[in-house]
Amino acid sequence: MPGFFRITALCACSVLCATVLRGQPAFQDTIDAELLKLDFDELIYTLESAHPDLFAFADKDRWYDAVDETINALSKGDTYAGFARRISRLLGMLRDSHTVLEFSSLTEYQLAHNQPILPLRVFSDPGGLYVREDLTGKLSPGTRIVSINGIPADTVYAHLLDFSCAEGDSPVGTARVADAIFYQVAGLVIPVKRINEFVVIRPDSSMADTVAYKALNTAEFDVVQDLIQSHPANSVNKDFHLDIDRVNGLGVLRIGSFAPPNNKKFSHFLERSFTMLNRENIPNIVIDLRGNTGGSSGNVEELTAYLIEDGYNTPSNIIARQSDLARSRYNRFLMFFTRVAMRVVYRGNEDVQGYMDVMALKDGEQDTVYFSKPLVKNKKLIFRGKKFLLINGLTASAGVDMTHAFKKHRIGTVVGEPCLGPMTGTFGNPAHYTLLETGIGLYISTIRYNYDNHFLYERQSITPDIWVVETPEDLRSGRDAALEKVKTLLRQGDQ
């Protein structure tokens, strides 16, 4: 499905846009039950009218039982955090990673109400909760967190899971999302103070140590964010780069997102990269999609077309439902003369014509649009050496599409841990929605994005050919276990 119509298959948990907060309730105040009911009723109505297949992965009766239970629980009012958590649990039952809370808006809400933020990225495994990165530098990677302000780490993590999401059955992905949103939601599930008591076990010790950990206020958090954004590693090309390991005859193509700042630059980057790999006769390539939470289907085609001589088309079809929410995604194309001009100018383009068919639907109508034309690259640019794909639980949405292509077309070997989605497709094109009374932001899917025309929705997430699970020791040593596994396979001459 090359060309104009680039469907957004971006896992909603990855969206980091800020939300302007006005008139929201104070942090610890109980919100009036009637206001909560207004928001909740509107949310349920919007889900029912806008989502393309609300019960693809959810049991309808159980979900509506949960809706009734939530209504009863809200009859006495609730706090902002409590209400957000109830909504997240309900959305989680849908097992759609594109229909979730807007996590960045939760951070903005806390900062707007002077709630300190714990600037930690964490990692969970059966042995406990560990520091992946401390943006203040106080706790080193691999430090085990035993408790925070007297609350055991496993209890904290159980609360984080209430805010996480899934795509079908994806327990590893759900865990990785919970890891990723720690700093955004920790203050909503545990009491976070300016100075917090952490009990930790440091990497070089077996003894528990008590640490006074200073959380960041709004000004400090903004400074840290600015430093992160201005770091040389976070350049305009931060989402894609190529490294060549000539010792191992290996090109490592890092694709951090299929939603780059500029699609043309992404396309040119891929052409330069594969030209270089072929010119220098690099015999092996690793495509690293770990942490790639999605983006444009067109960019998935761009990359995959360099790996398959016959090119690649994606998706096979989309199921779209018209609503006010769906329409908000393409308002700029709704003008009558714009629609007419696009019909004429792009009359031979199946992508544009399909897009226009979706836009022409009336509210409540649903249709399936099919795509069949692959994007094909110059055969001289096709990479014909050994190919590996690295994935993890945060490989989501369009990243799942790429993983599916690797598996289905037997392009090469998939290494890592299960991704956030199954072989048959995901939801997509999430539209932003804000609850009027509480100001809570969320995203709701507006299409179903299918990789084939069988319309059978698998639940199980795609598993790698070779499992490599990150460990706390990897965090401590800075070792990239998945990449090292690929190098070992190459040395052994064994895929």
Side-chain angles (χ1 to χ4, degrees), residues 212-363:
Y213 187 90
K214 185 179 180 181
L216 302 184
N217 61 25
T218 302
E220 292 165 342
F221 185 80
D222 288 343
V223 169
V224 170
Q225 291 285 79
D226 288 343
L227 288 174
I228 293 171
Q229 294 301 320
S230 63
H231 192 278
N234 292 312
S235 66
V236 69
N237 294 324
K238 65 181 179 180
D239 289 323
F240 46 92
H241 62 266
L242 173 67
D243 295 321
I244 296 181
D245 177 355
R246 290 180 173 80
V247 173
N248 291 289
L250 181 64
V252 181
L253 190 66
R254 168 65 181 160
I255 308 295
S257 172
F258 285 115
N262 186 302
N263 284 321
K264 286 186 178 180
K265 287 185 178 180
F266 180 75
S267 181
H268 292 158
F269 160 77
L270 290 179
E271 183 174 356
R272 290 195 306 271
S273 296
F274 283 96
T275 298
M276 179 183 297
L277 290 167
N278 288 312
R279 185 178 62 235
E280 298 194 17
N281 295 314
I282 303 298
N284 312 288
I285 188 174
V286 167
I287 298 172
D288 187 354
L289 295 188
R290 290 173 295 179
N292 184 321
T293 55
S296 163
S297 62
N299 288 332
V300 175
E301 288 181 334
E302 280 280 344
L303 175 55
T304 311
Y306 286 102
L307 308 174
I308 303 175
E309 188 169 311
D310 294 334
Y312 186 57
N313 167 71
T314 191
S316 291
N317 67 78
I318 63 167
I319 301 173
R321 188 177 187 186
Q322 186 65 285
S323 66
D324 286 340
L325 190 67
R327 198 178 293 107
S328 69
R329 289 186 53 86
Y330 45 76
N331 279 335
R332 67 185 183 278
F333 295 116
L334 287 177
M335 292 179 61
F336 174 76
F337 291 109
T338 302
R339 296 202 305 270
V340 171
M342 290 175 67
R343 284 286 192 191
V344 174
V345 174
Y346 295 98
R347 57 182 172 272
N349 187 313
E350 69 169 0
D351 305 335
V352 175
Q353 298 306 314
Y355 197 13
M356 301 304 295
D357 289 343
V358 168
M359 286 169 34
L361 293 173
K362 297 179 181 178
D363 280 5

Side-chain angles (χ1 to χ4, degrees), residues 5 11 18 38 43 104 113 127 129 145 209 211 340 484 492:
F5 186 24
C11 175
L38 287 172
L43 171 62
S104 61
H113 291 84
L129 189 64
I145 301 172
D209 184 19
V211 176
V340 171
E484 289 303 316
Q492 295 173 344

Side-chain angles (χ1 to χ4, degrees), residues 57 118 131 137 185 249-250 287 318 338 342 376 389 471 473 495:
F57 296 125
L118 296 173
V131 174
V185 304
L250 181 64
I287 298 172
I318 63 167
T338 302
M342 290 175 67
V376 180
L389 183 72
T471 68
E473 181 54 40
Q495 268 185 261

